[in-house]
Amino acid sequence: MTGTIVERPDLADPATYDHGIPHAAFRDLRAMPGLVWNPSGPWGSGFWSVTRLDDLVAVSRDPMTYSSELGHIQIYDVDEDVRAVRASMIDLDPPVHTRLRRLISSAFTPRHVQGYVEDIRGRVRSRLDSFVEAGGGDWVSAVAAPIPIGVICDIMGIPEEDHDLMIEMTDHLVEGTSSAELDPGAYGNTRPLRELPFNSPAAHGVEEYARNARRQRLDNPTGDLLSELATAEVDGERLSETEYARFFQLMIFAGNETTRSAMSHLATHLVRHAEQFDRVRSDPTLLDAAVEEVVRHASPILYFRRTATIDTTLAGTDVAAGEKVVMWYASANFDEAHFADPMGFDVGRPKVPGHVAFGGGGAHFCLGASLARMELSALISEVLDRGLRLEPAGDPVLVSSNFVNGVERLEMTVVAGG
Amino acid sequence: MSGAVHLTVDLDRCIGIGQCEMLEPEVFRLDDEDGISRVVDGATLDRARAAEVVERCPSMAISIVEDSPSG
């Protein structure tokens, strides 16, 4: 069978996400047999959309057939000659990926992130204190953005005075997935954009910062994660400056933008589903489930792409070697075959089967999942302990992107608690 | 311990996420050196719980040792 061909909507077009995840369109796609072919556009050749959870998990867990390394993990095409220059471990397949990932995996295990809990709670408390004192404001810039960047920077060893710069640069990386434009020469960039992650000059800024950090730590190791990474060896060799910079960029982006999205969407759920959070307040054993439900609804990363290494068949659709296969987490997380009343917000959902917002399993499962869970858990429990009640003070301003489900601004008023 | 089974971790597949250690700290321990999960010597789990832990390993590195004692 061949896949179904549809003209609309173009899932690669950032405008498709102007009002958030296009749930109705995804629901239609999930109901179609096989995979759905999204035709080519200005960003490159067409791709197969994987919208159902079972199919997504099958792709995610089979890196031999669906490679992260062969093409690119975003929809747009990357020229062959610059692929290796741009690649970080997220763009690699096992076994190389496995060796790189093991360099830092121990810093992000559930056991290890327990050690960060007091730091996280401290950051949550101080941000909520300021927010309450001001009577509200922009939840994103006051709460959702600074907490995760503070936490990941602490873990990596980036000083407090540079946190705002990290927020600014990673915001610009996201713009690389939208229609917004940054001056190609920003951050002193002189390289062609196609050589830079997210095609963004901000990636140059991040890279320069990382190169400096590496040099400083090789001269004066401080015991932080950046020092460990500078001296760590893979197969007897240290990471090159470029490899180090890619690692840095991946951690600073993934450890910040994603949790920020989930924390931003959390505020909306606190308003819309106050009764669900009342349940959590009276039964704290539901806290973990509330975290998962926030993450499922947020689906902070809308998709990752794989490229077929061989001719294969998925969901009855023939996929040719070299074709793009896109896993839409933002669709699979609302798959009615797995989630009863998928659009509902329910802290009583069973743990298994879970959502795929951290990935569908396999080698690329979100490195920071335990950290993100702990941050969200700390924020929710602090909000509930304070009896904090919010009311929207304007419509949310969403990030224009086909890649992240971000919120740019979310004005909220504090109406109770403190 | 009716239906207790042994488990094993595929060391090439494990990427040290630590989900297993969180679920069953008596059974799994991430090695302090390489960060990879190991099964604690002699540890067993009830078959149903073992199946759940297997299912919840994101890297599909855990399996039940099928010749393990059933009883």
Side-chain angles (χ1 to χ4, degrees):
Chain A
M1 186 191 98
T2 56
T4 314
I5 295 177
V6 289
E7 296 283 334
R8 60 161 179 92
D10 183 354
L11 292 176
D13 183 353
T16 300
Y17 306 89
D18 278 355
H19 305 287
I21 297 171
H23 286 294
F26 277 133
R27 191 178 55 232
D28 290 347
L29 295 178
R30 285 194 298 274
M32 290 178 183
L35 305 181
V36 179
W37 180 255
N38 197 102
S40 60
W43 34 268
S45 60
F47 55 87
W48 293 111
S49 278
V50 180
T51 56
R52 287 179 296 269
L53 191 139
D54 286 343
D55 298 333
L56 185 150
V57 167
V59 171
S60 185
R61 297 188 169 194
D62 185 4
M64 296 293 283
T65 308
Y66 303 101
S67 170
S68 297
E69 194 168 330
L70 188 61
H72 179 38
I73 54 164
Q74 291 189 328
I75 287 172
Y76 61 86
D77 294 316
V78 173
D79 296 329
E80 188 69 26
D81 61 324
V82 297
R83 212 176 58 221
V85 194
R86 294 174 44 138
S88 70
M89 69 171 171
I90 203 169
D91 308 282
L92 297 170
D93 292 328
V96 179
H97 164 268
T98 314
R99 288 201 290 272
L100 284 172
R101 177 151 172 156
R102 284 179 181 178
L103 286 179
I104 53 162
S105 61
S106 63
F108 295 96
T109 63
R111 170 157 48 106
H112 202 92
V113 300
Q114 279 298 331
Y116 310 139
V117 70
E118 283 312 315
D119 172 54
I120 292 171
R121 284 191 187 142
R123 287 191 177 276
V124 165
R125 281 190 206 112
S126 89
R127 291 296 168 176
L128 285 180
D129 283 345
S130 309
F131 192 75
V132 168
E133 202 176 313
D138 174 19
W139 175 264
V140 177
S141 59
V143 177
I147 293 170
I149 195 75
V151 171
I152 192 68
C153 285
D154 281 350
I155 293 173
M156 291 170 74
I158 299 169
E160 192 86 31
E161 62 263 28
D162 292 340
H163 291 192
D164 284 345
L165 175 65
M166 294 300 139
I167 292 180
E168 178 193 306
M169 291 195 295
T170 53
D171 281 354
H172 286 311
L173 293 183
V174 169
E175 284 170 14
T177 67
S178 75
S179 39
E181 301 248 349
L182 187 64
D183 177 55
Y187 298 101
N189 179 50
T190 53
R191 281 183 288 171
L193 295 185
R194 67 189 194 96
E195 290 182 11
L196 294 165
F198 297 94
N199 294 330
S200 170
H204 174 79
V206 174
E207 185 167 328
E208 284 303 300
Y209 188 95
R211 286 176 190 271
N212 280 328
R214 179 176 178 273
R215 276 184 228 118
Q216 283 168 9
R217 285 174 178 69
L218 284 176
D219 292 341
N220 294 301
T222 56
D224 59 14
L225 189 59
L226 288 178
S227 301
E228 281 179 38
L229 199 57
T231 52
E233 295 185 353
V234 186
D235 301 336
E237 281 184 43
R238 283 184 179 172
L239 296 177
S240 71
E241 247 185 25
T242 303
E243 286 171 323
Y244 185 90
R246 295 287 173 260
F247 236 115
F248 182 103
Q249 179 236 305
L250 181 62
M251 279 193 284
I252 200 74
F253 180 84
N256 147 33
E257 287 282 346
T258 52
T259 310
R260 181 197 317 184
S261 296
M263 286 184 166
S264 301
H265 292 289
L266 165 66
T268 303
H269 295 308
L270 286 169
V271 173
R272 285 196 196 149
H273 309 291
E275 81 294 344
Q276 290 289 317
F277 288 94
D278 288 342
R279 282 177 70 188
V280 180
R281 189 187 285 118
S282 53
D283 178 4
T285 63
L286 292 173
L287 181 59
D288 288 351
V291 168
E292 299 308 320
E293 191 66 342
V294 169
V295 174
R296 180 179 77 87
H297 271 272
S299 294
I301 299 289
L302 297 169
Y303 79 88
F304 270 123
R305 170 197 148 191
R306 299 289 184 259
T307 304
T309 58
I310 51 169
D311 292 346
T312 187
T313 304
L314 180 64
T317 296
D318 293 331
V319 176
E323 283 182 338
K324 299 174 184 177
V325 177
V326 175
M327 299 179 283
W328 292 102
Y329 308 113
S331 171
N333 278 336
F334 301 90
D335 187 342
E336 35 291 283
H338 282 267
F339 305 103
D341 181 23
M343 294 308 298
F345 187 95
D346 180 2
V347 297
R349 289 185 192 278
K351 271 191 172 174
V352 178
H355 61 75
V356 290
F358 292 122
H364 293 281
F365 185 82
C366 177
L367 176 67
S370 301
L371 184 63
R373 284 171 168 141
M374 175 170 286
E375 292 182 49
L376 281 161
S377 176
L379 179 57
I380 295 171
S381 59
E382 190 68 22
V383 163
L384 297 183
D385 285 353
R386 291 168 184 239
L388 190 64
R389 296 272 177 181
L390 305 171
E391 251 177 32
D395 291 330
V397 180
L398 303 179
V399 174
S400 169
S401 169
N402 66 10
F403 179 57
V404 299
N405 183 26
V407 184
E408 200 166 300
R409 206 166 65 246
L410 185 59
E411 294 291 335
M412 287 277 173
T413 307
V414 174
V415 290
Chain B
M1 286 290 279
S2 118
V5 294
H6 289 281
L7 294 117
T8 180
V9 175
D10 181 333
L11 300 183
D12 290 330
R13 280 196 161 179
C14 177
I15 49 175
I17 294 168
Q19 179 89 0
C20 54
E21 189 188 64
M22 182 183 67
L23 292 171
E24 289 295 339
E26 306 291 314
V27 179
F28 299 95
R29 182 78 187 172
L30 298 196
D31 185 86
D32 288 331
E33 287 295 309
D34 63 17
I36 299 308
S37 181
R38 303 290 199 286
V39 177
V40 174
D41 277 348
T44 60
L45 275 179
D46 170 79
R47 181 174 283 276
R49 176 62 171 169
E52 188 190 337
V53 173
V54 166
E55 165 70 26
R56 289 177 66 181
C57 169
S59 38
M60 301 154 294
I62 303 171
S63 48
I64 292 173
V65 180
E66 274 312 338
D67 60 357
S68 54
S70 58

